[in-house]
Amino acid sequence: MDDFRTKCLERALLVGTFSAIPHPVAVEVMAQSQPDFICIDWEHAQIGRERIEDLVRAADVHSVTAMVRVPGHAPEAIAAVLDAGAGGVLVPRVSTAEQARAAVSATRYPPIGSRGVGPGRAAGYGYRIPDYLAKANETLVLAIQVETAEGLANIEDIAAVEGVDLIFIGPGDLSVSIDAMGPAGKDKLDRAITTITSAALHAGRAVGIFRPSPADVGRWRRAGISFFALASDTMFLGAAVLDSLDAARKAGSSS
């Protein structure tokens, strides 16, 4: 089994980030910091399908696993990123067990699923299809994102679906969906995150979550979450520029 998927399933601490800048240079810069993974955000960023393979390749140069968050549930999108060589897929807005089973089917080859065989980069452009088929089901990570009130209500059924490796919590959309935005909704959101985490762990699934900063990673790690997507390249860029400009202005005004 691939080392990255093994670590996911064994709930080792994994800390990575989202990639939203649609250029391989940005991926390489992040990869040189050696995150445990980079999740290329096809859902929310200005990244087109034709760019995915270049971004995955840029992560591969530095031996960092590239996952891709696809825009929806379409099997064609899931197949496209896996054919490009991604080490895993993050499927957003999974709110029912049926949707979770469909994600498993789209990610795995028969007899487990229904993914089609294609001569993409992952299979050596057709020259290593047998080798890729022999290992793909055992090495690719399937993460499904629970981020709706419906998903919260159905979490036990979703977590019970065989073939799901990791249940990823999207606090932003979840807070909107359950009316728990802002400081006033913090306790309600925390309870929802705890409910999802407990159900997933009880079913034997690893749990992941997005965090905008490392401030409470320790707290959620103690709760059983092991997979952390920390901010994004754009968020890191903006924060670093802001901090540096503020520091320069303070230094200049005090001289």
Side-chain angles (χ1 to χ4, degrees), residues 37-56:
F37 64 91
I38 291 173
C39 189
I40 298 163
D41 194 358
W42 189 11
E43 181 189 18
H44 288 300
Q46 301 303 309
I47 297 173
R49 173 174 172 170
E50 68 281 356
R51 197 56 152 164
I52 298 294
E53 188 168 307
D54 289 338
L55 301 181
V56 172

Side-chain angles (χ1 to χ4, degrees), residues 72-248:
H73 300 171
E76 295 81 6
I78 294 173
V81 303
L82 297 179
D83 285 349
V89 61
L90 174 58
V91 181
R93 301 185 305 279
V94 173
S95 299
T96 67
E98 181 180 6
Q99 291 173 342
R101 284 190 288 270
V104 173
S105 182
T107 304
R108 309 298 183 197
Y109 287 116
I112 299 173
S114 59
R115 180 184 169 192
V117 179
R121 176 175 177 267
Y125 300 103
Y127 288 97
R128 293 194 298 273
I129 288 178
D131 292 340
Y132 182 67
L133 291 178
K135 67 179 184 178
N137 282 352
E138 292 296 320
T139 59
L140 298 174
V141 172
L142 170 58
I144 60 170
Q145 191 158 330
V146 175
E147 52 189 337
T148 65
E150 184 182 12
L152 175 62
N154 292 326
I155 185 58
E156 290 186 4
D157 290 339
I158 293 170
V161 174
E162 290 298 327
V164 171
D165 297 319
L166 184 143
I167 292 178
F168 186 84
I169 302 167
D173 282 327
L174 183 60
S175 69
V176 174
S177 185
I178 66 172
D179 191 23
M181 294 181 66
K186 183 180 183 302
D187 289 344
K188 184 177 182 180
L189 178 60
D190 285 354
R191 287 194 298 271
I193 293 172
T194 299
T195 296
I196 294 169
T197 300
S198 297
L201 293 175
H202 181 74
R205 313 296 170 214
V207 185
I209 194 170
F210 170 80
R211 301 313 298 151
S213 82
D216 60 358
V217 166
R219 172 197 174 187
W220 291 117
R221 175 60 169 155
R222 290 189 292 274
I225 296 176
S226 54
F227 184 99
F228 294 88
L230 187 64
S232 67
D233 50 7
T234 51
M235 293 175 72
F236 284 125
L237 175 62
V241 171
L242 179 62
D243 288 348
S244 294
L245 291 176
D246 282 348

